[in-house]
Amino acid sequence: MGSCKGQRSYGGVITSHPVHGTVQSWDDEEGWGVLTSPDIQSEIWAHFSAVYAKPGAFASLEPGESVLFTWEEFPQDGYSYRAVHVRRPSDPETDWEPEQDDEDVDDLSDVCIELDPE
C-alpha cells in the first residue's frame, strides 16, 4: 500500500501579489487564452472567469495587452499554471481582492485517494 505523504498537490495559490504580464493569445469564442510574464518561466493558462470585467460586461483580453495577474500551479490544457485573477493596470484595485469564503481555512483538510492496482 502506498502513501500520499510527499505527493505533489495542485491548486495551491503560488502568488498572493499580482505579477506583470502580457496576453500572448486570446480566443473569445473559446473563452480562454495564454499569458506570459518575465517572472514565470512558463506560459499561464487564463479563463475568462478570472478576468476582471465591469458588471454586465464581456470579459475579454487582447493579444499584446499588458495585465496584472495572480497565478497558481494547476495543470490545465497542457499548461502547468493558470491565472487566478487577471486585470488591466487601469482596472480598479478594489475589485482585485479575492472573494472571501465564510469557510474557515483552519477547518480545511487534505484528502488522499489511492486506488489498488488491478
Side-chain angles (χ1 to χ4, degrees):
M1 179 173 271
S3 171
C4 288
K5 236 180 182 157
Q7 293 283 337
R8 180 176 212 137
S9 63
Y10 295 99
V13 173
I14 294 182
T15 60
S16 58
H17 298 289
V19 296
H20 291 273
T22 303
V23 180
Q24 179 178 334
S25 64
W26 189 264
D27 186 328
D28 279 332
E29 197 169 303
E30 297 278 331
W32 68 277
V34 179
L35 310 177
T36 58
S37 173
D39 297 327
I40 305 167
Q41 295 179 352
S42 184
E43 297 174 323
I44 301 91
W45 184 88
H47 190 258
F48 79 93
S49 63
V51 177
Y52 168 82
K54 293 179 182 176
F58 185 71
S60 180
L61 297 170
E62 293 292 325
E65 186 173 21
S66 292
V67 291
L68 294 168
F69 64 94
T70 57
W71 52 278
E72 66 182 351
E73 184 174 9
F74 191 94
Q76 179 73 47
D77 293 339
Y79 297 92
S80 297
Y81 307 105
R82 73 174 174 186
V84 177
H85 296 287
V86 183
R87 70 173 175 88
R88 293 162 188 85
S90 60
D91 289 337
E93 289 189 46
T94 54
D95 293 321
W96 172 256
E97 296 302 317
E99 294 180 17
Q100 297 295 319
D101 288 343
D102 291 335
E103 189 173 24
D104 188 355
V105 174
D106 293 334
D107 293 338
L108 299 178
S109 63
D110 293 328
V111 174
C112 175
I113 299 173
E114 295 183 20
L115 303 175
D116 291 330
E118 293 184 34

